[in-house]
Amino acid sequence: MHRILLSLVLAAAGFLATGSAAYAGVPNSWVPKETHHYDDEKTEDEAFASVEWTFGKSVLPEIAVGFRSVKVQSDGDVFGGQASLSFDLAEMGMGKFKLQAVQGDENAQLQLGTGYSIARSNFLITGGVQGNHVFGGADYLFGTGWQAVGGFNTVGNYDPPEGASVRSCPDGYTDASSDFCAPDGFFGME
């Protein structure tokens, strides 16, 4: 209790004293508190649906459903993965199964992965870019070649979490006020 009261008296005296605005009335042995920033991240898990066209094939799209799990960091970086399975409306049968790694920022992510074309019975390599409800890219089907793909889906932009800040005293110092630290033992206590 004495420590808190002494801190309040010294802090009030510091604000009332004339001189340097930032350190007025603060004993020379006191130091400002250090601010430490901690990055924070959150996991975004979401089921999604998409309408995807393979250019040069048919005007009828493939309808896909999938699941995406990504980590969104406080600086906006996004990384994770997704899986999807499509139904080809032109051929009225299963389309492609894809597994993709996802990396980018809150507004756009690169996607790279592999999969299998059920309709063509071929493995594939896939890559592209995901934006706010829009995506585009290319699939390479072994034995068939390149196919440009694009469409719309329910995956939007991400909101990064806010990073945390903590103010604390360095080693050898004790909390003296909301802004300053006193040397250990300054208040007669260890």
Side-chain angles (χ1 to χ4, degrees):
M1 181 70 172
H2 296 296
R3 180 176 158 192
I4 293 172
L5 185 57
L6 181 60
S7 296
L8 291 173
V9 170
L10 289 173
F15 288 115
L16 296 174
T18 58
S20 171
Y23 296 101
V26 175
N28 289 337
S29 59
W30 287 22
V31 297
K33 284 189 174 178
E34 297 173 346
T35 302
H36 304 280
H37 297 283
Y38 296 95
D39 287 335
D40 201 5
E41 70 179 22
K42 65 180 179 178
T43 301
E44 293 275 343
D45 294 329
E46 63 181 313
F48 66 90
S50 67
V51 179
E52 177 180 308
W53 284 270
T54 301
F55 298 102
K57 185 179 166 193
S58 169
V59 293
L60 294 175
E62 291 184 27
I63 306 297
V65 293
F67 184 79
R68 179 181 253 229
S69 179
V70 296
K71 295 217 182 271
V72 183
Q73 297 179 329
S74 59
D75 63 359
D77 287 348
V78 173
F79 61 93
Q82 71 180 36
S84 64
L85 178 63
S86 67
F87 183 82
D88 190 334
L89 293 177
E91 298 186 19
M92 294 307 291
M94 298 306 294
K96 300 171 188 166
F97 173 73
K98 296 180 184 179
L99 289 173
Q100 295 175 296
V102 175
Q103 185 169 359
D105 65 23
E106 70 269 25
N107 299 316
Q109 304 89 43
L110 295 175
Q111 301 175 163
L112 184 62
T114 187
Y116 187 76
S117 172
I118 300 165
R120 300 280 181 252
S121 298
N122 288 339
F123 286 97
L124 61 93
I125 297 173
T126 181
V129 176
Q130 168 70 45
N132 188 21
H133 302 292
V134 214
F135 67 94
D139 294 338
Y140 180 79
L141 277 70
F142 294 99
T144 303
W146 289 99
Q147 296 180 338
V149 295
F152 306 96
N153 61 22
T154 58
V155 178
N157 289 341
Y158 294 100
D159 293 323
E162 294 182 25
S165 294
V166 176
R167 296 180 72 196
S168 63
C169 294
D171 289 340
Y173 287 83
T174 303
D175 187 25
S177 72
S178 61
D179 296 319
F180 293 97
C181 304
D184 286 345
F186 183 85
F187 297 109
M189 295 181 254
E190 294 274 339

